[in-house]
Amino acid sequence: MPAEDPDPRLYVQAVEKAFRVLEVFGSRHHPLSLAEVAEASGMDKSGAQRMCYTLRRLGYLAVDVHGRGHVPGLRLMDRSYDFLRMHPLVQRATSPLMDLRRTTQERVDLSLPDDLSIIYAVRLQSKRETFAATLVGRRLPTFASSGGRAMLAYRSDEEVENVLLRSDRRAMTSKTVVDLPGLHAKVTEARALGYALAVEEWFLGEIVLAAAITDEAGRPVGAIHIAASLSEWEVEEFRKRMAPLAMEAARALSGG
Amino acid sequence: MPAEDPDPRLYVQAVEKAFRVLEVFGSRHHPLSLAEVAEASGMDKSGAQRMCYTLRRLGYLAVDVHGRGHVPGLRLMDRSYDFLRMHPLVQRATSPLMDLRRTTQERVDLSLPDDLSIIYAVRLQSKRETFAATLVGRRLPTFASSGGRAMLAYRSDEEVENVLLRSDRRAMTSKTVVDLPGLHAKVTEARALGYALAVEEWFLGEIVLAAAITDEAGRPVGAIHIAASLSEWEVEEFRKRMAPLAMEAARALSGG
DNA sequence: TCTTTCGTATTGACTATCAATACGATCGAA
DNA sequence: TTCGATCGTATTGATAGTCAATACGAAAGA
């Protein structure tokens, strides 16, 4: 959300309220009652009632199958499908990523940058994966992901500093790098190598190598991730094998 | 959308307008100008301006990278992620589907029913697939898909007739069954077999077998699809190999 | 250079939205 | 079984938010 206030002449507050209702599910794991929706979205019960009624009618919210509480509605899938289907990089990248998945025999993902986080837009599993590793739309912090760091490598020092300072730099495993000098070093390393490597920083046992995709102006617009298990790979072997493949695939997709 | 009019005391028309804007992208393949959005969504230019301004501010709409026209925004991915992450069947099915994908070495999908169409909620590719075969949120007509027919098999004759009559029964290939007696026969066959098989009805060269997942009351809540290429399988071999696997996986996910 | 189409800006009218509150239903605890 | 808490639904007049016609500058195309 931009820092400056929206223009009240054009900004439709009722629309914002409706999306605030949808957004409360972003941090929940179970259906929400009307009262919970009202509280979590910062509106009174009447407001929540009207927004929920409208969103239910449109299919973007649904009543839980047990008849109590609200859950996100199926029509949301249509809207994200439109996003994916119409996104030029997702269109161009999916086929090469399938080739890369076949070549590497490991999980291959495409992420898009969004300020302090990256969003997974294409997920091509290779073996048995965790549930979280299969879902498009999943976000990870830019600072803590190999894709995020690979993309930061194409940003200026000031931009990198800005992102790192505004990030909630919490460790996910004992291996997660969270100190500022360490993170800067990781970005510097990614600049030198042309890719970023994260070993057990998000999930124990998981190793991920990522390379950034850039636009004509050299700005990062996405990243290719190759993920595998340390039970099957030694770190240096993985790096040696995957780095050229990831960088070549990213290069082929860069520049327009 | 339900047939009866919404209660004007609770229905927020501005919210509907915002979603009408998002929905116009459902049938487009390129960015839309403000004027095009206005026309396609049936509102005047001022209305389109206000809705687009608001949706851009919230991140659900974006200006195309070339600076002209609107496209669906990244934040939509968050909302569908909430839907997938919180959907009980998607949660329960993803792991067994990965097992099934490993066993069959073919593409495995999970679809959800939505009146006249089915929506793909989980897509586990095995080999090189078409772009369309990788995207969650993609819809196919219930009548023309093996998953749709497998689910129709658990509906009453009246319900099946109702769906078929309201469907836009167009052929996708020369093999697509579109006549009512033929479609009824397909549903009857699925009832007898416990699965549905579609041979080249959506894409030439593609064969798909699907089994329905039902709830405690025996109503269909999803379908498992196994898809492959006729260049690698003979129809009867595919049926023999995959039918038991699909039905067993569907049965394990049914009933709760 | 001119025309067309674009997106932006404006502002008073007015109606769509608001929100406090009452109420019946349901659920859980005693 | 009774009672209290919480649920979702229903209400309605006030008013703030939304509307929409239109003007205008910018950009693109002929």
Side-chain angles (χ1 to χ4, degrees):
Chain A
M1 175 70 93
E4 72 277 16
D5 288 342
D7 184 337
R9 298 173 298 179
L10 293 175
Y11 196 66
V12 183
Q13 297 181 57
V15 172
E16 180 198 49
K17 282 178 163 179
F19 281 101
R20 281 201 346 245
V21 166
L22 292 177
E23 283 161 7
V24 305
F25 294 94
S27 53
R28 301 304 164 88
H29 304 284
H30 300 291
L32 294 175
S33 68
L34 197 70
E36 287 170 318
V37 167
E39 180 171 13
S41 60
M43 63 185 74
D44 52 58
K45 207 170 71 169
S46 303
Q49 177 186 11
R50 278 183 279 104
M51 296 305 150
C52 288
Y53 177 85
T54 307
L55 290 167
R56 289 200 306 270
R57 290 284 308 206
L58 297 173
Y60 294 99
L61 206 58
V63 174
D64 181 61
V65 293
H66 301 105
R68 289 177 65 87
H70 291 88
V71 292
L74 190 61
R75 295 296 305 279
L76 293 166
M77 299 303 300
D78 292 308
R79 308 287 70 85
S80 65
Y81 175 71
D82 294 336
F83 173 85
L84 292 173
R85 171 177 66 71
M86 289 180 70
H87 195 288
L89 183 58
V90 171
Q91 289 176 26
R92 290 192 289 109
T94 303
S95 183
L97 289 181
M98 283 194 262
D99 291 338
L100 186 61
R101 194 260 310 266
R102 180 185 289 188
T103 300
T104 61
Q105 294 290 303
E106 299 294 351
R107 185 176 97 235
V108 169
D109 298 314
L110 175 76
S111 66
L112 303 174
D114 186 32
D115 198 22
L116 304 185
S117 57
I118 64 172
I119 293 194
Y120 287 98
V122 178
R123 314 213 72 172
L124 302 179
Q125 315 81 12
S126 182
K127 297 160 186 161
R128 211 171 190 294
E129 311 281 0
T130 61
F131 180 58
T134 65
L135 296 181
V136 294
R138 179 180 169 79
R139 284 180 181 261
L140 289 191
T142 296
F143 84 90
S145 56
S146 57
R149 291 174 187 163
M151 292 192 269
L152 284 177
Y154 288 89
R155 308 278 294 277
S156 70
D157 286 344
E158 292 74 24
E159 288 174 321
V160 172
E161 177 79 359
N162 185 282
V163 167
L164 296 181
L165 286 175
R166 289 187 289 115
S167 294
D168 180 12
R169 298 185 304 281
R170 277 185 288 151
M172 292 304 119
T173 73
S174 58
K175 303 287 186 57
T176 318
V177 178
V178 296
D179 63 293
L180 282 175
L183 289 168
H184 276 292
K186 283 286 184 182
V187 174
T188 302
E189 176 183 77
R191 281 182 182 142
L193 296 172
Y195 64 86
L197 185 70
V199 185
E200 297 195 282
E201 294 199 47
W202 200 256
F203 288 118
L204 288 177
E206 188 189 55
I207 183 170
V208 192
L209 186 145
I213 300 165
T214 54
D215 64 11
E216 291 107 330
R219 294 192 68 82
V221 293
I224 292 177
H225 305 230
I226 306 175
S229 168
L230 282 174
S231 65
E232 298 183 33
W233 288 91
E234 192 275 319
V235 173
E236 287 311 309
E237 281 178 18
F238 185 78
R239 184 201 294 269
K240 216 171 270 174
R241 168 76 172 137
M242 304 305 184
L245 294 171
M247 289 192 287
E248 175 51 33
R251 188 165 26 241
L253 288 163
S254 294
Chain B
M1 174 70 90
E4 72 277 17
D5 289 342
D7 185 338
R9 297 173 299 179
L10 293 176
Y11 196 67
V12 183
Q13 298 183 56
V15 172
E16 180 198 49
K17 284 181 163 178
F19 281 100
R20 278 197 352 242
V21 166
L22 291 177
E23 282 158 9
V24 304
F25 294 94
S27 53
R28 302 304 165 87
H29 304 285
H30 300 291
L32 294 175
S33 67
L34 198 69
E36 288 172 316
V37 167
E39 182 171 12
S41 61
M43 62 183 76
D44 53 58
K45 206 168 70 166
S46 301
Q49 179 187 8
R50 278 184 279 105
M51 296 304 150
C52 288
Y53 176 84
T54 306
L55 290 168
R56 288 199 307 270
R57 288 285 308 207
L58 299 173
Y60 294 98
L61 205 59
V63 174
D64 181 62
V65 293
H66 299 105
R68 291 178 62 88
H70 290 87
V71 292
L74 190 60
R75 295 297 303 281
L76 293 166
M77 298 305 298
D78 291 308
R79 308 285 70 84
S80 65
Y81 175 70
D82 294 335
F83 174 86
L84 291 173
R85 170 175 67 72
M86 289 181 70
H87 195 289
L89 183 58
V90 172
Q91 288 176 25
R92 289 194 289 109
T94 302
S95 183
L97 290 183
M98 283 194 262
D99 291 337
L100 186 59
R101 195 262 307 267
R102 179 185 289 190
T103 300
T104 61
Q105 293 290 303
E106 298 294 352
R107 185 175 97 234
V108 168
D109 297 314
L110 175 76
S111 65
L112 303 173
D114 185 33
D115 198 21
L116 305 186
S117 57
I118 64 171
I119 294 192
Y120 287 100
V122 179
R123 315 212 72 172
L124 301 180
Q125 314 83 12
S126 182
K127 297 158 184 159
R128 213 173 188 292
E129 311 282 0
T130 62
F131 180 58
T134 65
L135 296 180
V136 294
R138 178 178 169 80
R139 285 179 179 262
L140 288 191
T142 296
F143 83 91
S145 57
S146 58
R149 292 173 187 164
M151 291 192 270
L152 285 177
Y154 289 87
R155 309 278 293 280
S156 70
D157 286 343
E158 292 73 25
E159 287 173 322
V160 172
E161 177 80 358
N162 184 282
V163 166
L164 296 182
L165 285 175
R166 289 188 288 116
S167 294
D168 180 12
R169 299 186 303 281
R170 277 185 289 152
M172 294 301 121
T173 74
S174 59
K175 303 289 187 55
T176 318
V177 177
V178 296
D179 64 291
L180 282 174
L183 289 168
H184 275 292
K186 283 286 183 182
V187 174
T188 302
E189 178 183 76
R191 281 185 183 137
L193 296 172
Y195 63 87
L197 184 70
V199 184
E200 297 196 282
E201 292 200 50
W202 199 256
F203 288 119
L204 288 178
E206 188 190 52
I207 182 170
V208 193
L209 187 145
I213 301 165
T214 55
D215 64 11
E216 291 106 330
R219 294 192 67 82
V221 294
I224 292 176
H225 306 229
I226 305 176
S229 168
L230 282 174
S231 65
E232 298 184 34
W233 288 91
E234 192 273 319
V235 173
E236 286 312 308
E237 282 178 18
F238 184 78
R239 183 202 293 269
K240 217 171 267 173
R241 168 75 172 140
M242 305 304 183
L245 295 170
M247 289 192 287
E248 175 50 35
R251 185 165 29 240
L253 289 164
S254 294

